[in-house]
Amino acid sequence: MFASGCGVLYRQPIYQGNLLDKAAVDQLQQGMDKRQVMTLLGTPSIRDPFHHDRWDYVASRRTGRSGPTEVKNMTLYFENEALSKWEGEYFPEEDSELAKTMAKFGNLAKDKDKGKKGRR
């Protein structure tokens, strides 16, 4: 009871926004269409109606109620409906660890092909 007032307790980081998987970001290639990018990374946080050729994937992390908030933004640019470049940052190591933790609770999509080997 005394420890709770001293700030000695562990505080879990709180993530919000698009949590991008490093393996998915590593698969991005110039020339991919928007559907392929969305399959890899999911729906972007921000799709500006005035800039159809730019997608923003934004994520934030904060530890505790009063800790500083760290924001990272990954921006993708399209030309003629094809991915032309991407820049920015995301939380690659933290996201993979968080995905492993959340998988225990069944909150993430599961690979549909697992367990289907030999059923073709």
Side-chain angles (χ1 to χ4, degrees):
M1 189 145 126
F2 292 109
S4 64
C6 298
V8 176
L9 297 177
Y10 171 74
R11 293 193 173 118
Q12 179 75 22
I14 300 168
Y15 292 92
Q16 292 184 321
N18 290 96
L19 298 177
L20 302 177
D21 183 34
K22 182 178 179 350
V25 173
D26 289 344
Q27 292 180 44
L28 288 175
Q29 297 177 7
Q30 287 184 337
M32 291 180 135
D33 64 28
K34 291 181 177 182
R35 180 187 52 79
Q36 291 171 314
V37 172
M38 196 176 297
T39 300
L40 275 176
L41 303 181
T43 306
S45 305
I46 303 169
R47 274 205 286 193
D48 188 345
F50 300 106
H51 300 99
H52 296 284
D53 295 330
R54 175 182 169 158
W55 288 1
D56 289 286
Y57 290 85
V58 181
S60 66
R61 172 179 63 188
R62 185 177 75 193
T63 304
R65 291 183 183 178
S66 60
T69 301
E70 182 181 2
V71 178
K72 294 195 178 187
N73 185 32
M74 178 88 155
T75 304
L76 282 66
Y77 298 93
F78 295 87
E79 290 179 16
N80 300 322
E81 300 295 314
L83 183 62
S84 61
K85 68 177 183 173
W86 57 96
E87 61 190 19
E89 301 178 306
Y90 60 103
F91 298 102
E93 292 80 22
E94 291 87 348
D95 291 350
S96 61
E97 288 300 316
L98 184 61
K100 289 177 188 174
T101 302
M102 294 306 290
K104 292 189 280 188
F105 302 106
N107 294 341
L108 297 176
K110 294 186 173 143
D111 186 3
K112 293 180 182 180
D113 292 332
K114 278 188 177 177
K116 290 186 176 181
K117 293 179 182 178
R119 288 188 186 178
R120 295 180 188 208

